[in-house]
Amino acid sequence: MDTQFVGEHLWPGKLGHLFVISTFVGALFSAFSYWRAVQTEKTDAYNSHSWQLMGRNGFVLHAASIIGIFFALYYIIANHLFEYHYAWQHSSLALRSKYLLSCFWEGSEGSFMLWTLWNSILGLVVMSTAKLLETRTMAIISLVQAILATMLLGFYFGPDVKVGSTPFMLLREQMQGAPIFSSPNYMDFIKDGNGLNPLLQNYWMVIHPPVLFLGFATTLMPFAYCVAALWKGEYESFVKPTIRWSLFSGAVLGTGIMMGGAWAYESLNFGGYWAWDPVENASLVPWLTLVAGLHTLLVYKATKRSLIVTFILLLLTYLLVWYSTFLTRTGVLGKTSVHAFTGEGSALYWHLLIVLGVLLVLSIAAMTARWKQLPRIKTEEATSSREFWMFIGSIVLLLSAVQISITTSIPVWSPLVKWISGKDVAPPVDVMSHYNNIQVWVAIIIAMLSATILYLKFKQTGWATVLKRWGITGGIALVMAGLVGYAQKITTWQYDLLLFSTCFAIVANIYYAIAIQKAKLKQLGPSVAHLGFAMLLLGILISSYNKEVMSLNTLGVTFDLSKDDKMKAAKENRENVLLFRDMPVAMGEYTATFRGDSTSPSDPRTFFKVDYERVDTASKAVKERFRLYPDAFVNTKERNLISSPATKHYWNKDVFTYVNSYQMGGEEKFKDYTVHQGDSIFLGTGYLVFKGFNKEVNNPAYKPEEGDVAVTADLAYFDLKGVKGMLRPVYYIHDKFDNQIEDTLKSSGVTARLQKILPEQNAALIQVKQESGKNDYVVLKALLFPYINLVWLGVIVMVIGFFISLRNRLSY
Amino acid sequence: MKKTHIVVLVLVAVAVCIIVTMFSDFSTYETFASASKQPGKAFHVIGYLDKSMAMDYDPVKDPNHFTFYAKDKSGGVTKVIFNGEKPRDIEKSEQIVMKGYVEGGAFHCTGIQMKCPSKYKQRDMTVSGNAS
């Protein structure tokens, strides 16, 4: 039964398998050794140190192995070894080399590997910096690493239970029983791989997943330090490193999330950077709790208050990271999410549930064991103190996370509701307004707090100066909000409130940085981060409140509508518009003209050329002209396309265009239309209206003879500007045979033929064709986002703020 | 009781109120038949493309009008009107989740999400809602 297969490259896979096993064993060994080191710490210092050294060696072995896995898998993908299932499924020969790395994160094996890799690198940093907390933090980190490594094992226990999934699986092992693998030279038939999902062939997809996974990895460190502190029962030494790691985590995770937004904005057709999609929410929620935990930790550092809530928030953050993995990787979200993730089946489902259970039990055990001895302060904090309001802000962030989680988790808890009440709960029909209507209040409160809290002092504040400063900044903010609100026509009162609070936060943080901190870079972290956050909120507000669909189709609706429906139809956004080649169509303040397509041999995509022109209404002079190239992967066989938008960037707005459908090179063929008097026939560049039959035949090509019956169909040709001319094709019966004489309208290239008269229906069968090229069209959507750059700038400023704080805290 | 506790309690109370009212936002999965009992009210319907019936999308006539027939889980077939472009690969979809309301015997669809079988993986796709 042993077939000798020809043409396989087995050594990278075998090496990879070896690394997978050693990475698991190394992590397990390290966790055990560190645990022993903690156990023997008090009783036997010498032994404890030996255990610690072994733990270190184990972790180094683990980290080296995971790097080995990375290179083995990279070798397989880069050399197109399609005998490996992973390479076959996620890459192809045509894949451009810059996207090779993207293959790592299309499949879940590669994603888990990347996650483990980041963890191990950060783990090495913790190992060399944690000092007295090293044994405990590293025991936790190694334990998590061992758990993560099980995701890559791919071991079978019996025929049905599979633990993990290895990226080094051979194609023939994955698809056992497929007839092709019975021939030893099967490799001769496997010439190419499945290829990478076109949506991932985008530069954002090269950097967004690794940054996001780095963000996920960083949340492990605050978790490990918190558990270590609880384990040790000592609540001092963990504070500084946890603040540093939380700052780093907030910066990286925040960047990762917004890079996802940038990707959605630039390559997906959501028409935006944030759609409250479950997958996006799942990564946002841990960031919210992390930021909340960071703030309560700062409170604890300054005042010794809020320790318990800090532990809860930071432990919860890590659990939520795993919960988000559970949501996005197991296909639970199924019918509610847009993102293209694989459902890995029930094995991964239970595997992740077990991991979540283990981490949850660990967290709860650590908390309950120390619950009674956790330091608490009996006295009350003053209402004028900074810690009081920071605590409130953190709770608001937590509640925001709770709300987002409940709605996002509908597919998780709806089976229970169905079981109890029989109601099959679905997400809100209008998801965007559901979240926006609730989260706008969170945004208002958080912006107000970040405008005002910095002026308060820890423990006790003198009201007089604070009120004066609030008054000044609030006054400036009110003027600013008034101006922006008037210019941007923001009339909904909730959003006016948000506008004021974000302006307040912007003004207050700038004022604080300049007037109070005297722009000393070292201390600027918090005010810069809060300034960035406020700018982000303002950017979100303006860009989404005034988002404009430029391609709004206002042409008449051609299907039957009763009166009520018309009201509804008027409300409906008819967002697609049809552009025939070389026919300008007004869109917002622009006119758009489709100019054909272009392809290049080195690029699999088709580019559609769309010219935009902005004409001054008074002088008729062209003020601006530019061309956009929305592109698409076109599947010629099935005539469908996966399109990505093209965007014209201005400093204060983006014009965003993408193609939904197209027709090119329409052949010159007659098409049949059965029409009654008054009916229209829609063509490439205009339409024909059938005015009726006419017995007066004046066509020079027709010479009347005795006994003939002759009639013409009068067709008026309209283009978008009006009547262009008449076509009068002739139909006559001569000698019992019917004959047709075509008529052509040269200027428009339209030819019509009266094929038949259908007397019983009182209708005519008319055949029409139009010169090729004139029938080419694209269906496109164009959107205008004002001040979108404020969103990106806000994120960048916020992240810079995180890093300034981090640098400041590292230099101590 | 500490001030912090009171404020937290108030916040939690407000949050609970918001969450309770938020439940009225949630939609339900229905069949065409049960959705037609409340015409004009939006629901989710899970169904399949009925390939025996014709699909109609002629962008030349109207780029925002696509009709097809779908069979829901209980077997009821209804005409679906979607005010948008024809979603790519709908022919290949093995399941369609439709958001919309029944009116005049047809299901007016504001958003379509499809589950498409790819040979060895499943991919979900959505066409954004075009009605508000």
Side-chain angles (χ1 to χ4, degrees), chain B residues 65-113:
Chain B
H65 186 69
F66 170 57
T67 61
F68 61 100
Y69 287 82
K71 188 187 273 185
D72 66 20
K73 283 194 158 167
S74 62
V77 176
T78 298
K79 184 180 184 184
V80 181
I81 299 170
F82 176 57
N83 290 300
E85 71 281 0
K86 180 180 155 218
R88 76 185 137 89
D89 281 349
I90 190 165
E91 298 88 346
K92 289 197 251 161
S93 66
E94 56 185 24
Q95 193 186 62
I96 311 176
V97 182
M98 292 158 284
K99 283 191 257 183
Y101 56 92
V102 172
E103 203 163 85
F107 188 75
H108 295 258
C109 190
T110 59
I112 297 178
Q113 191 170 329

Coordinates of all heavy atoms in Angstrom, one line a residue, chain B residues 65-113:
Chain B
H65 N -32.3 48.1 -9.7 CA -33.5 47.2 -9.6 C -33.1 45.8 -10.0 O -32.8 45.5 -11.1 CB -34.6 47.8 -10.5 CG -35.9 47.0 -10.4 ND1 -36.7 47.1 -9.2 CD2 -36.5 46.2 -11.2 CE1 -37.7 46.4 -9.4 NE2 -37.7 45.8 -10.6
F66 N -33.2 44.9 -9.0 CA -32.8 43.5 -9.3 C -33.9 42.7 -8.6 O -34.3 42.9 -7.5 CB -31.5 43.2 -8.6 CG -31.1 41.8 -8.6 CD1 -31.1 41.0 -9.8 CD2 -30.8 41.1 -7.4 CE1 -30.8 39.7 -9.8 CE2 -30.5 39.8 -7.4 CZ -30.5 39.1 -8.6
T67 N -34.5 41.8 -9.4 CA -35.5 40.9 -8.8 C -35.1 39.5 -9.0 O -34.5 39.1 -10.0 CB -36.9 41.1 -9.5 OG1 -36.8 40.8 -10.9 CG2 -37.4 42.5 -9.3
F68 N -35.5 38.7 -8.1 CA -35.3 37.2 -8.2 C -36.3 36.5 -7.3 O -37.1 37.2 -6.6 CB -33.9 36.9 -7.8 CG -33.5 37.2 -6.3 CD1 -33.6 36.2 -5.3 CD2 -33.2 38.5 -6.0 CE1 -33.2 36.6 -4.0 CE2 -32.9 38.8 -4.7 CZ -32.9 37.8 -3.7
Y69 N -36.4 35.2 -7.4 CA -37.3 34.5 -6.6 C -36.5 33.7 -5.5 O -35.5 33.1 -5.9 CB -38.2 33.5 -7.4 CG -39.2 34.3 -8.2 CD1 -38.9 34.9 -9.4 CD2 -40.5 34.4 -7.7 CE1 -39.8 35.6 -10.1 CE2 -41.4 35.2 -8.4 CZ -41.1 35.8 -9.6 OH -42.0 36.5 -10.3
A70 N -37.0 33.7 -4.3 CA -36.3 33.0 -3.3 C -37.2 32.0 -2.6 O -38.4 32.3 -2.5 CB -35.7 33.9 -2.3
K71 N -36.7 30.9 -2.1 CA -37.5 29.9 -1.4 C -37.0 30.0 0.0 O -35.8 29.9 0.3 CB -37.2 28.5 -2.0 CG -38.1 27.4 -1.4 CD -37.6 26.1 -2.0 CE -38.3 25.8 -3.3 NZ -38.0 24.4 -3.8
D72 N -37.9 30.2 1.0 CA -37.5 30.2 2.4 C -37.4 28.9 3.0 O -37.6 27.9 2.3 CB -38.4 31.2 3.2 CG -39.8 30.7 3.3 OD1 -40.0 29.4 3.1 OD2 -40.7 31.5 3.6
K73 N -37.1 28.8 4.3 CA -36.9 27.5 4.9 C -38.1 26.6 4.9 O -38.0 25.4 5.0 CB -36.3 27.7 6.3 CG -34.8 28.1 6.2 CD -34.2 28.0 7.6 CE -32.7 27.9 7.4 NZ -32.0 28.1 8.7
S74 N -39.3 27.2 4.9 CA -40.5 26.4 5.0 C -41.0 26.1 3.6 O -42.0 25.5 3.4 CB -41.6 27.1 5.8 OG -41.9 28.3 5.2
G75 N -40.2 26.5 2.6 CA -40.6 26.2 1.2 C -41.4 27.2 0.4 O -41.6 27.0 -0.8
G76 N -41.7 28.3 1.1 CA -42.5 29.3 0.4 C -41.7 30.1 -0.6 O -40.6 30.5 -0.3
V77 N -42.2 30.3 -1.8 CA -41.4 31.0 -2.8 C -42.0 32.4 -3.0 O -43.2 32.5 -3.1 CB -41.4 30.3 -4.2 CG1 -40.7 31.1 -5.2 CG2 -40.8 28.9 -4.0
T78 N -41.2 33.4 -3.0 CA -41.7 34.8 -3.1 C -40.7 35.6 -4.0 O -39.5 35.3 -4.1 CB -41.7 35.5 -1.7 OG1 -42.7 34.8 -0.9 CG2 -42.2 36.9 -1.9
K79 N -41.3 36.5 -4.7 CA -40.5 37.4 -5.5 C -39.8 38.4 -4.6 O -40.4 38.9 -3.7 CB -41.4 38.2 -6.5 CG -40.7 39.1 -7.4 CD -41.7 39.8 -8.4 CE -40.9 40.6 -9.4 NZ -41.8 41.3 -10.3
V80 N -38.5 38.6 -4.9 CA -37.7 39.5 -4.0 C -37.3 40.7 -4.9 O -36.8 40.5 -6.0 CB -36.5 38.8 -3.4 CG1 -35.7 39.8 -2.6 CG2 -36.9 37.6 -2.6
I81 N -37.5 41.9 -4.4 CA -37.1 43.1 -5.2 C -36.0 43.8 -4.4 O -36.2 44.1 -3.2 CB -38.3 44.1 -5.3 CG1 -39.4 43.4 -6.1 CG2 -37.8 45.3 -6.0 CD1 -40.7 44.2 -6.1
F82 N -34.9 43.9 -5.0 CA -33.8 44.6 -4.3 C -33.4 45.8 -5.0 O -33.2 45.8 -6.2 CB -32.6 43.6 -4.3 CG -31.3 44.1 -3.7 CD1 -31.3 44.6 -2.4 CD2 -30.1 44.1 -4.4 CE1 -30.1 45.1 -1.9 CE2 -29.0 44.6 -3.9 CZ -29.0 45.1 -2.6
N83 N -33.3 46.9 -4.3 CA -33.0 48.2 -4.9 C -31.5 48.4 -5.0 O -31.0 49.2 -4.2 CB -33.7 49.3 -4.2 CG -35.2 49.3 -4.4 OD1 -35.6 49.4 -5.5 ND2 -35.9 49.1 -3.4
G84 N -30.9 47.7 -5.8 CA -29.4 47.8 -5.9 C -29.0 46.9 -7.1 O -29.8 46.4 -7.8
E85 N -27.7 46.8 -7.2 CA -27.1 46.0 -8.2 C -27.2 44.5 -7.9 O -27.4 44.1 -6.8 CB -25.6 46.4 -8.4 CG -24.7 45.9 -7.4 CD -24.7 46.8 -6.1 OE1 -25.4 47.8 -6.1 OE2 -24.0 46.4 -5.2
K86 N -27.2 43.7 -8.9 CA -27.3 42.3 -8.7 C -26.0 41.8 -8.0 O -24.9 42.1 -8.5 CB -27.3 41.6 -10.1 CG -27.4 40.1 -10.0 CD -27.5 39.5 -11.4 CE -27.0 38.1 -11.3 NZ -26.2 37.7 -12.5
P87 N -26.1 41.2 -6.9 CA -24.9 40.8 -6.1 C -24.2 39.7 -6.9 O -24.8 38.8 -7.5 CB -25.5 40.1 -4.9 CG -26.9 40.5 -4.8 CD -27.4 40.8 -6.2
R88 N -22.9 39.9 -7.0 CA -22.1 39.0 -7.8 C -22.1 37.6 -7.2 O -22.3 37.4 -6.0 CB -20.6 39.5 -7.9 CG -19.8 39.2 -6.6 CD -18.5 39.9 -6.8 NE -18.1 40.6 -5.6 CZ -17.4 40.0 -4.6 NH1 -17.1 38.7 -4.6 NH2 -17.1 40.7 -3.5
D89 N -22.1 36.6 -8.0 CA -22.1 35.2 -7.6 C -23.4 34.7 -6.9 O -23.4 33.7 -6.2 CB -20.9 34.9 -6.6 CG -19.6 34.7 -7.3 OD1 -19.7 34.6 -8.6 OD2 -18.6 34.7 -6.7
I90 N -24.5 35.5 -7.1 CA -25.7 35.0 -6.4 C -26.2 33.7 -6.9 O -26.7 32.9 -6.2 CB -26.8 36.1 -6.5 CG1 -28.0 35.7 -5.5 CG2 -27.3 36.3 -7.9 CD1 -28.9 36.8 -5.3
E91 N -25.8 33.4 -8.2 CA -26.2 32.1 -8.7 C -25.6 31.0 -8.0 O -26.1 29.9 -7.9 CB -25.8 32.0 -10.2 CG -26.4 33.0 -11.2 CD -25.6 34.3 -11.2 OE1 -24.7 34.5 -10.4 OE2 -25.8 35.1 -12.1
K92 N -24.4 31.2 -7.4 CA -23.7 30.2 -6.8 C -24.0 30.1 -5.3 O -23.5 29.2 -4.6 CB -22.1 30.4 -6.9 CG -21.7 30.2 -8.4 CD -20.2 30.0 -8.4 CE -19.5 31.2 -9.0 NZ -18.1 31.3 -8.7
S93 N -24.8 31.0 -4.8 CA -25.0 31.1 -3.4 C -25.8 29.8 -2.9 O -26.6 29.4 -3.6 CB -25.8 32.3 -3.0 OG -27.1 32.3 -3.5
E94 N -25.4 29.3 -1.7 CA -26.2 28.2 -1.2 C -27.2 28.7 -0.1 O -28.0 27.9 0.3 CB -25.3 27.1 -0.7 CG -24.3 27.6 0.3 CD -23.3 26.4 0.7 OE1 -23.2 25.5 -0.2 OE2 -22.8 26.5 1.8
Q95 N -27.0 29.9 0.3 CA -27.9 30.4 1.3 C -27.9 31.9 1.1 O -26.9 32.5 0.9 CB -27.5 30.0 2.7 CG -28.6 30.3 3.7 CD -28.1 30.0 5.1 OE1 -27.2 30.6 5.6 NE2 -28.7 29.0 5.7
I96 N -29.1 32.5 1.3 CA -29.2 34.0 1.2 C -29.9 34.5 2.5 O -31.0 34.0 2.8 CB -30.0 34.5 0.0 CG1 -29.5 33.8 -1.3 CG2 -29.9 36.0 -0.2 CD1 -30.3 34.1 -2.5
V97 N -29.3 35.5 3.1 CA -30.0 36.1 4.2 C -30.5 37.5 3.7 O -29.7 38.3 3.3 CB -29.1 36.3 5.5 CG1 -29.9 37.0 6.6 CG2 -28.5 35.0 5.9
M98 N -31.8 37.7 3.8 CA -32.4 38.9 3.2 C -33.0 39.7 4.3 O -33.7 39.2 5.1 CB -33.4 38.6 2.2 CG -32.9 37.9 0.9 SD -34.1 36.9 0.0 CE -34.3 35.5 1.1
K99 N -32.7 41.0 4.3 CA -33.3 42.0 5.2 C -34.4 42.7 4.4 O -34.1 43.2 3.3 CB -32.3 43.0 5.7 CG -31.4 42.5 6.8 CD -30.7 43.7 7.4 CE -29.2 43.8 6.9 NZ -28.5 44.9 7.5
G100 N -35.6 42.8 4.9 CA -36.6 43.6 4.2 C -38.0 43.3 4.7 O -38.2 42.7 5.7
Y101 N -38.9 43.8 3.9 CA -40.3 43.7 4.3 C -41.2 43.2 3.2 O -40.8 43.4 2.0 CB -40.8 45.1 4.8 CG -40.7 46.2 3.8 CD1 -41.7 46.5 2.9 CD2 -39.5 46.9 3.7 CE1 -41.5 47.5 2.0 CE2 -39.3 47.9 2.8 CZ -40.3 48.2 1.9 OH -40.1 49.1 0.9
V102 N -42.3 42.7 3.6 CA -43.2 42.2 2.5 C -44.3 43.3 2.2 O -44.8 43.9 3.2 CB -44.0 40.9 3.0 CG1 -45.1 40.5 2.1 CG2 -43.0 39.8 3.2
E103 N -44.5 43.5 1.0 CA -45.5 44.4 0.6 C -46.0 44.1 -0.8 O -45.2 43.8 -1.7 CB -45.1 45.9 0.7 CG -46.2 46.8 0.9 CD -45.7 48.2 1.4 OE1 -45.3 49.0 0.5 OE2 -45.7 48.4 2.6
G104 N -47.3 44.1 -1.0 CA -47.9 43.8 -2.3 C -47.4 42.4 -2.8 O -47.1 42.3 -4.0
G105 N -47.3 41.5 -2.0 CA -47.0 40.1 -2.4 C -45.5 39.9 -2.8 O -45.1 38.8 -3.1
A106 N -44.7 41.0 -2.7 CA -43.3 40.8 -2.9 C -42.5 41.2 -1.7 O -42.9 41.9 -0.8 CB -42.9 41.7 -4.1
F107 N -41.3 40.6 -1.6 CA -40.4 40.9 -0.5 C -39.4 42.1 -0.9 O -38.7 41.9 -1.9 CB -39.6 39.7 -0.1 CG -38.8 39.8 1.2 CD1 -39.5 39.9 2.4 CD2 -37.5 40.0 1.1 CE1 -38.7 40.0 3.6 CE2 -36.7 40.1 2.3 CZ -37.3 40.1 3.5
H108 N -39.6 43.2 -0.3 CA -38.7 44.3 -0.7 C -37.4 44.3 0.2 O -37.5 44.4 1.4 CB -39.4 45.7 -0.5 CG -40.6 45.8 -1.4 ND1 -40.5 46.6 -2.5 CD2 -41.8 45.3 -1.4 CE1 -41.7 46.6 -3.1 NE2 -42.5 45.7 -2.5
C109 N -36.3 44.1 -0.5 CA -35.1 43.7 0.2 C -34.2 44.9 0.3 O -34.0 45.6 -0.7 CB -34.5 42.6 -0.6 SG -33.2 41.8 0.2
T110 N -33.7 45.1 1.5 CA -32.8 46.3 1.7 C -31.4 45.8 1.9 O -30.5 46.6 1.9 CB -33.2 47.1 2.9 OG1 -33.2 46.2 4.1 CG2 -34.6 47.6 2.8
G111 N -31.2 44.5 2.0 CA -29.8 44.1 2.2 C -29.8 42.6 2.0 O -30.7 41.8 2.3
I112 N -28.7 42.1 1.2 CA -28.6 40.7 0.9 C -27.2 40.2 1.5 O -26.2 40.9 1.3 CB -28.6 40.5 -0.6 CG1 -30.0 40.9 -1.1 CG2 -28.4 39.0 -0.9 CD1 -30.1 40.7 -2.6
Q113 N -27.2 39.1 2.1 CA -26.0 38.5 2.5 C -26.0 37.1 2.0 O -27.0 36.4 2.3 CB -25.7 38.6 4.0 CG -24.3 38.2 4.3 CD -24.0 38.6 5.8 OE1 -24.6 39.5 6.3 NE2 -23.2 37.8 6.4

